Amino acid sequence: MCILLFPVALLALLFLIRLWHHPTNKHLPPGSMGWPYVGETFKLYSQSPESFFADKQRRYGAIFKTHILGCPCIMISNPEAARCVLVSQAHRFKPTFPSSKERMIGPQALFFHQGEYHTRLRKLVQASLLPNAIRDSVSDIEKVVLSLLKSWECTTVNTFHEMKKLTFEVAMLAVFGSCRDLDSEGIKSLYLSIERGYNSMPLNFPGTSFHKAMKARKRLSEMLRKVMAKRRAEKVTRGGLLEILMASSKGGKRMELTDGQIADNVIGVIFAAQDTTASALTWVLKFLRDHGPLLHSVTREQEGIRREMIKGNRRLTWNDTRNMPLTTRVIQETLRAASILSFTFREAVEDVELNGYVIPKGWKVLPLFRNIHHCAEFFPEPEKFDPSRFEVPLKPNTFMPFGNGLHSCPGSELAKLEMLVLLHHFTTKYRWDVVGKESGVQYGPFPVPKQGLPIRVSNLRNRKSTTTITTTTTITLNKK
Ligand code: HEM
């Protein structure tokens, strides 16, 4: 009897859930909710996110509803509505992440929070990443870049994997300042385990990547506690975010942070910094390789800087990086075209009215950065790689590679600096050819050219015949 009733009960339940998905409230945005519980998740994963969202936008307009990963969602590709969610009405939308991801990075990391804790913590993180705080790190970044590029000479490398090495080292500098007192390799290996687990199924039992990652996470926290204890005892200034966070925990009226809160934010910032910037760096090499005349012009700009360096017998400076207009536009266009964060997640903390629609409390809201960046109304011929579009002012709120508002990226200047330093050395000393014919995008979760863009790198000095650049300059700088 039970067996007979089970399908009927199941159907009734599915019907009820479906009703719930389609509330009679006529002010919900248009769209489709797919199947009960799974919604349109399979559809999203069977296509690329890019075509899923573009197709929806074509059918339903710039604000539409759907249901993915077990949650009813409102997707937004209207710049003004995205601004409301991220800026003017930001207090009515909280950040939201799967709890497994929160546990892995550390629940006290700033991006999971809203309100006073977030505001005060953000000030500290921002203080460590403002132009004034990072301008002296150019030569440290340069050292990392030069040693990495040397290891690429005359070999084939996986661009994304290599860029991850660079962005990890730079993130370590930003977080720890001087790393001389650290077991950097130990931190790196624990961090790698965490990363593997982060991208795996959240099954926490012995043998799974997730379980190994949770164990590594605990060990990394312990390691960071020891680093903090040692640095407190030594009273040596080493700079970086850690110093700022530790200074804030000295008591008095200022915000006191526990070691656990500091560790979560240290790991969180490294996490936010590494793959995003590595993905952008990979794309910029692809776009420059695909656009020979542009590579030529960027190289000319960088050779001009190099000539100044030779004249002044000096290394690359922060001011040089402020004087690279074309290279800067290439980076902006890369960030637009690749849209490293295709979208972000928020959750309505109450019923909110937006552009005449109601967003019910508890629903997820996703501002779709990529759709906005690829909208022909704001960026004519959006699929064309054209840095000159940044020569004129853009329409407000249409370019958000680093987000907008309360949670916008505090690391944007550091990310751009890394890209400028790498492009300076790479374009003036090397050429690269893409290996293999695979084109397209893979997501992991950020978009990267297929296979991570394998490239063969040659030193311009050794290149017998080059059709692009002929004016290579070799300089020997006096050590300063
Ligand atoms: C090209 C590289 C990067 C891109 C495209 C990028 C993009 C973003 C975006 C779109 C957000 C906002 C997310 C949201 O609103 O939900 C964000 C937040 C954040 N980013 Fe970045 N980011 C990059 C590099 C970095 C770097 C180098 C750092 C640190 C050194 C960093 C640290 C952070 C942090 C801590 C947050 C959270 C801020 C908060 O919640 O208040 N990012 N990033």
Side-chain angles (χ1 to χ4, degrees):
M1 186 64 178
C2 273
I3 291 174
L4 284 178
L5 281 180
F6 180 70
V8 179
L10 187 68
L11 275 177
L13 182 68
L14 293 182
F15 180 66
L16 282 175
I17 297 174
R18 201 161 171 79
L19 267 186
W20 174 74
H21 283 163
H22 292 270
T24 46
N25 187 336
K26 57 177 183 279
H27 294 302
L28 277 173
S32 62
M33 303 296 271
W35 288 96
Y37 195 72
V38 290
E40 300 194 296
T41 310
F42 293 133
K43 216 172 183 181
L44 170 68
Y45 284 101
S46 61
Q47 308 172 359
S48 73
E50 219 170 296
S51 49
F52 176 82
F53 294 134
D55 176 49
K56 291 276 178 189
Q57 191 180 335
R58 258 193 307 276
R59 286 166 68 182
Y60 303 115
I63 302 182
F64 58 87
K65 66 172 187 274
T66 179
H67 190 286
I68 50 169
L69 302 167
C71 311
C73 303
I74 306 286
M75 310 277 179
I76 295 177
S77 55
N78 167 319
E80 288 77 32
R83 187 177 189 281
C84 277
V85 173
L86 298 171
V87 187
S88 52
Q89 302 285 315
H91 56 287
R92 305 173 83 186
F93 299 94
K94 64 174 186 186
T96 165
F97 290 80
S99 71
S100 58
K101 311 275 182 214
E102 267 192 48
R103 275 192 295 151
M104 186 69 73
I105 292 180
Q108 299 298 328
L110 82 161
F111 24 73
F112 304 129
H113 291 267
Q114 186 88 322
E116 204 190 330
Y117 175 75
H118 173 260
T119 310
R120 294 167 77 188
L121 198 54
R122 188 176 160 90
K123 271 195 195 131
L124 301 173
V125 173
Q126 239 167 355
S128 72
L129 295 168
L130 285 174
N132 259 346
I134 60 171
R135 56 182 298 144
D136 292 336
S137 59
V138 174
S139 63
D140 287 331
I141 296 177
E142 210 184 5
K143 271 183 216 148
V144 181
V145 165
L146 287 171
S147 121
L148 187 74
L149 294 187
K150 187 118 198 66
S151 73
W152 293 2
E153 276 182 25
C154 307
T155 54
T156 299
V157 295
N158 179 305
T159 312
F160 182 57
H161 290 169
E162 293 297 310
M163 293 303 186
K164 281 184 69 162
K165 293 182 191 165
L166 165 64
T167 55
F168 183 80
E169 295 296 324
V170 175
M172 290 281 283
L173 288 170
V175 165
F176 295 105
S178 158
C179 297
R180 253 174 274 152
D181 62 328
L182 298 178
D183 169 12
S184 299
E185 286 307 311
I187 294 180
K188 195 189 274 181
S189 111
L190 289 174
Y191 182 82
L192 276 177
S193 300
I194 297 175
E195 202 187 25
R196 272 194 291 273
Y198 186 88
N199 293 321
S200 69
M201 293 281 283
L203 305 171
N204 198 4
F205 49 79
T208 64
S209 301
F210 189 83
H211 185 75
K212 285 181 198 154
M214 288 306 284
K215 274 171 69 182
R217 178 65 182 75
K218 209 166 151 209
R219 284 179 55 205
L220 186 54
S221 269
E222 281 155 17
M223 206 174 207
L224 293 177
R225 269 178 226 273
K226 284 187 191 145
V227 172
M228 286 184 250
K230 201 162 149 231
R231 286 193 174 186
R232 277 189 195 108
E234 283 175 0
K235 295 194 174 71
V236 179
T237 304
R238 296 193 191 269
L241 172 67
L242 182 61
E243 189 163 290
I244 293 180
L245 295 178
M246 279 166 57
S248 76
S249 66
K250 278 186 186 152
K253 283 209 177 107
R254 284 182 300 166
M255 177 184 194
E256 278 195 40
L257 291 172
T258 63
D259 283 1
Q261 288 172 325
I262 295 179
D264 286 6
N265 282 286
V266 160
I267 296 168
V269 167
I270 298 177
F271 197 85
Q274 194 192 11
D275 279 21
T276 46
T277 318
S279 163
L281 279 159
T282 306
W283 280 109
V284 79
L285 292 200
K286 164 148 180 58
F287 290 134
L288 282 177
R289 189 67 196 81
D290 289 351
H291 298 83
L294 193 59
L295 173 59
H296 185 97
S297 307
V298 167
T299 309
R300 278 223 313 259
E301 178 170 278
Q302 294 302 334
E303 287 187 332
I305 304 265
R306 235 173 141 61
R307 276 192 291 277
E308 290 302 309
M309 288 161 60
I310 296 168
K311 238 194 267 166
N313 191 24
R314 60 173 180 79
R315 293 202 167 277
L316 193 68
T317 62
W318 170 263
N319 286 344
D320 290 328
T321 65
R322 305 300 94 181
N323 193 18
M324 301 177 175
L326 176 62
T327 316
T328 300
R329 285 198 295 274
V330 167
I331 290 172
Q332 287 172 310
E333 177 66 345
T334 298
L335 292 170
R336 181 200 69 82
S339 291
I340 311 297
L341 254 79
S342 304
F343 54 84
T344 187
F345 277 99
R346 295 288 186 273
E347 183 183 311
V349 294
E350 57 192 21
D351 286 358
V352 184
E353 212 184 306
L354 188 78
N355 281 34
Y357 298 119
V358 168
I359 300 181
K361 178 180 173 185
W363 280 42
K364 309 286 182 205
V365 181
L366 283 75
L368 302 177
F369 300 132
R370 168 177 286 276
N371 288 40
I372 297 174
H373 293 162
H374 284 256
C375 173
E377 192 188 335
F378 316 127
F379 298 98
E381 294 186 76
E383 300 318 315
K384 187 172 160 194
F385 188 83
D386 178 10
S388 75
R389 52 174 106 240
F390 288 90
E391 284 168 11
V392 291
L394 302 175
K395 287 200 179 125
N397 309 306
T398 55
F399 183 53
M400 292 178 282
F402 295 106
N404 201 358
L406 293 183
H407 289 274
S408 66
C409 182
S412 58
E413 286 303 325
L414 182 65
K416 287 187 271 185
L417 182 63
E418 283 173 66
M419 296 177 79
L420 290 168
V421 174
L422 181 118
L423 287 177
H424 171 76
H425 288 290
F426 204 44
T427 58
T428 51
K429 295 184 195 132
Y430 297 93
R431 281 298 166 267
W432 60 104
D433 294 308
V434 176
V435 177
K437 297 218 177 319
E438 270 207 83
S439 62
V441 184
Q442 69 189 43
Y443 290 84
F446 302 114
V448 185
K450 271 264 162 71
Q451 306 297 331
L453 192 72
I455 54 170
R456 175 130 193 113
V457 180
S458 52
N459 192 315
L460 271 174
R461 266 178 309 174
N462 306 337
R463 222 168 143 116
K464 294 239 162 48
S465 67
T466 166
T467 48
T468 45
I469 305 296
T470 49
T471 55
T472 53
T473 346
T474 311
I475 61 167
T476 318
L477 288 166
N478 284 352
K479 283 206 175 89
K480 285 209 152 182

